[in-house]
């Protein structure tokens, strides 16, 4: 339901008499028999006007309407605070999308190494083995 007091053109704290005056003024303007508006538009606006007046003229339904508006305002304020105090790390975590690495793009299989890569790895292994042998020789056989 749209803001009824705004539809009538009266402030939310208006008295019952002010609401009645605004209703009568607008009912003459929107009544299908007395308006220059197209019939469908006039009928829709007049029906809406009657609905608004029914809500605002009854004290109990007006209190409920005012309470509903107050709840809506409080809910909006609470949502603003929630957005204001959200942890940027958690927001980034929620929005995180993993980027597939090369293994994922190959369907879980390893890439085949090129001949150059195999040669480089072989040389690296020999250098590591040679280094271990040298360290072992120095530690075990070299006297100080």
């Amino acid at each position: 339901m749209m803001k009824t007091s705004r539809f009538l053109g009266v402030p939310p704290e208006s008295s019952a008499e002010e609401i009645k005056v605004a209703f009568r003024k607008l009912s003459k303007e929107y009544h299908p028999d007395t308006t220059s508006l197209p019939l469908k538009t006039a009928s829709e606006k007049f029906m809406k006007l009657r609905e608004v007046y029914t809500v605002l003229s009854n004290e109990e339904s007006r209190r409920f309407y005012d309470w509903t508006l107050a709840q809506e305002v409080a809910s909006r304020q609470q949502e603003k605070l929630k957005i204001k105090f959200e942890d940027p790390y958690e927001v980034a975590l929620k929005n995180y999308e993993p980027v597939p690495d090369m293994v994922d793009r190959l369907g879980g299989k390893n890439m085949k190494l090129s001949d150059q890569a195999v040669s480089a790895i072989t040389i690296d292994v020999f250098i590591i083995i040679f280094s271990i042998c040298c360290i072992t020789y120095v530690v075990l056989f070299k006297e100080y």
Side-chain angles (χ1 to χ4, degrees):
M1 179 191 283
M2 70 184 293
K3 305 277 191 258
T4 54
S5 57
R6 190 179 305 158
F7 186 78
L8 282 175
V10 295
E13 62 278 347
S14 299
S15 67
E17 190 61 36
E18 291 172 322
I19 291 170
K20 191 176 191 179
V21 168
F23 170 74
R24 287 188 179 173
K25 177 183 161 206
L26 288 175
S27 65
K28 290 176 187 174
E29 186 177 327
Y30 293 139
H31 195 282
D33 294 339
T34 61
T35 187
S36 60
L37 294 171
L39 183 61
K40 184 177 178 183
T41 305
S43 295
E44 289 172 358
K45 288 195 179 244
F46 188 73
M47 294 300 288
K48 184 67 181 171
L49 180 66
R50 287 184 58 202
E51 180 184 335
V52 167
Y53 182 69
T54 302
V55 169
L56 292 181
S57 62
N58 181 338
E59 191 61 38
E60 187 175 325
S61 64
R62 183 173 179 182
R63 265 195 312 256
F64 179 75
Y65 174 76
D66 290 342
W67 177 82
T68 306
L69 282 182
Q71 294 299 314
E72 185 179 318
V73 168
S75 175
R76 279 195 203 126
Q77 288 174 343
Q78 188 176 28
E79 188 63 32
K80 284 180 185 177
L81 282 176
K82 180 182 174 190
I83 290 171
K84 191 175 183 180
F85 291 117
E86 272 188 346
D87 185 8
Y89 177 74
E90 287 182 23
V91 172
L93 211 57
K94 278 188 229 173
N95 298 332
Y96 174 74
E97 289 185 32
V99 177
D101 61 2
M102 187 60 81
V103 174
D104 291 336
R105 283 184 261 149
L106 295 172
K109 299 177 183 173
N110 292 328
M111 289 180 63
K112 183 177 180 191
L113 295 176
S114 68
D115 292 337
Q116 186 179 6
V118 171
S119 299
I121 290 174
T122 305
I123 292 170
D124 289 343
V125 169
F126 281 126
I127 290 172
I128 291 170
I129 291 172
F130 180 74
S131 300
I132 291 173
C133 290
C134 289
I135 292 170
T136 306
Y137 172 76
V138 168
V139 170
L140 295 177
F141 302 111
K142 194 73 170 178
E143 291 184 22
Y144 298 98

